[in-house]
Amino acid sequence: IVEDNRFCSGQQFFDAPSGSFTDGSGESNYLNYTECIYVIDPPGDDPIKLTFDEFDVEQGFDFVYVIDGNSFDAPLIASLTGSSIPDQVIATSGSMIVAFISDEIFTNGGWSANYEVVIPTDLELSIASSNPDLGRYESAIYTFEVTNTSSNPATGIVVQQDMAGRKLTLVGGTMPEVSKGEYNRFTSTWTIDLLAPGETATVSIEL
């Protein structure tokens, strides 16, 4: 009997803070009747983020399931099928199970994924107004300040302010003044890709 070890089978266990895995088919299609289990259980209880680099399984018949926990009694948080790369999946319990199941008929190219522990960060947000006693026909400049007070970098920061039911609108052509990131005037959303430990970013907006 010759076994083809390219393809996944049984269970695989991962306890490192980051790693990668695939269906094992390489340049070929995966096999029919595939049942593969990947248990991701690093030390600690920080969230785990799962990202797919490639994804192509038979739509509606073959699935990648993601469970938030280290047992099949834990909540199912994703049922993935088709050929579009899925959004990132985050397990908040600190462990994750990924299960790949294929049926008996068609097979596709397969998938590859990587995971990483999401290190928590502490962010502080402050808001200051140049005119705290804003009158009906007066304007004020609001300064938003975000500081990363943790020892870890913070990524994907989004600040959205409604100001008591009123979205911030810009007055004049020079606002907002952004020290880092981008401000979308149509959604009143400030996005910062990366904030280093101890770093502060500000945006000033006239209302």
Side-chain angles (χ1 to χ4, degrees):
I1 298 176
V2 178
E3 294 184 355
D4 193 336
N5 293 322
R6 290 178 303 165
F7 302 99
C8 68
S9 63
Q11 295 191 17
Q12 298 183 44
F13 294 88
F14 302 87
D15 59 7
S18 63
S20 60
F21 54 97
T22 75
D23 67 276
S25 60
E27 297 299 321
S28 304
N29 284 9
Y30 55 81
L31 301 178
N32 293 321
Y33 298 108
T34 293
E35 293 187 11
C36 300
I37 308 298
Y38 310 82
V39 181
I40 304 169
D41 197 6
D45 56 2
D46 293 325
I48 299 170
K49 179 174 65 176
L50 179 69
T51 304
F52 287 90
D53 303 307
E54 300 176 59
F55 198 88
D56 183 17
V57 304
E58 185 189 4
Q59 174 73 45
F61 294 93
D62 300 341
F63 287 87
V64 176
Y65 299 101
V66 185
I67 295 171
D68 190 351
N70 57 10
S71 76
F72 286 97
D73 294 328
L76 176 69
I77 55 174
S79 300
L80 309 174
T81 188
S83 57
S84 298
I85 294 181
D87 294 334
Q88 292 178 337
V89 183
I90 295 180
T92 59
S93 66
S95 57
M96 173 186 288
I97 293 177
V98 179
F100 175 43
I101 310 294
S102 69
D103 68 0
E104 73 281 6
I105 304 179
F106 298 106
T107 62
N108 289 16
W111 52 269
S112 64
N114 63 80
Y115 74 90
E116 63 177 340
V117 172
V118 180
I119 304 299
T121 56
D122 295 318
L123 299 173
E124 290 185 356
L125 173 65
S126 64
I127 306 173
S129 172
S130 64
N131 186 2
D133 301 319
L134 185 64
R136 183 175 180 182
Y137 299 106
E138 296 177 330
S139 64
I141 295 175
Y142 290 87
T143 300
F144 296 79
E145 182 177 275
V146 175
T147 302
N148 181 4
T149 59
S150 75
S151 58
N152 303 303
T155 59
I157 303 165
V158 177
V159 178
Q160 187 167 30
Q161 186 62 29
D162 186 74
M163 297 302 289
R166 296 174 58 196
K167 285 190 174 182
L168 294 174
T169 55
L170 306 182
V171 179
T174 60
M175 295 292 179
E177 295 180 358
V178 182
S179 70
K180 188 166 190 176
E182 295 182 355
Y183 181 83
N184 186 319
R185 61 182 300 169
F186 300 105
T187 62
S188 298
T189 302
W190 178 27
T191 304
I192 307 169
D193 291 334
L194 174 65
L195 204 59
E199 186 178 8
T200 297
T202 62
V203 58
S204 295
I205 306 162
E206 189 173 2
L207 176 64

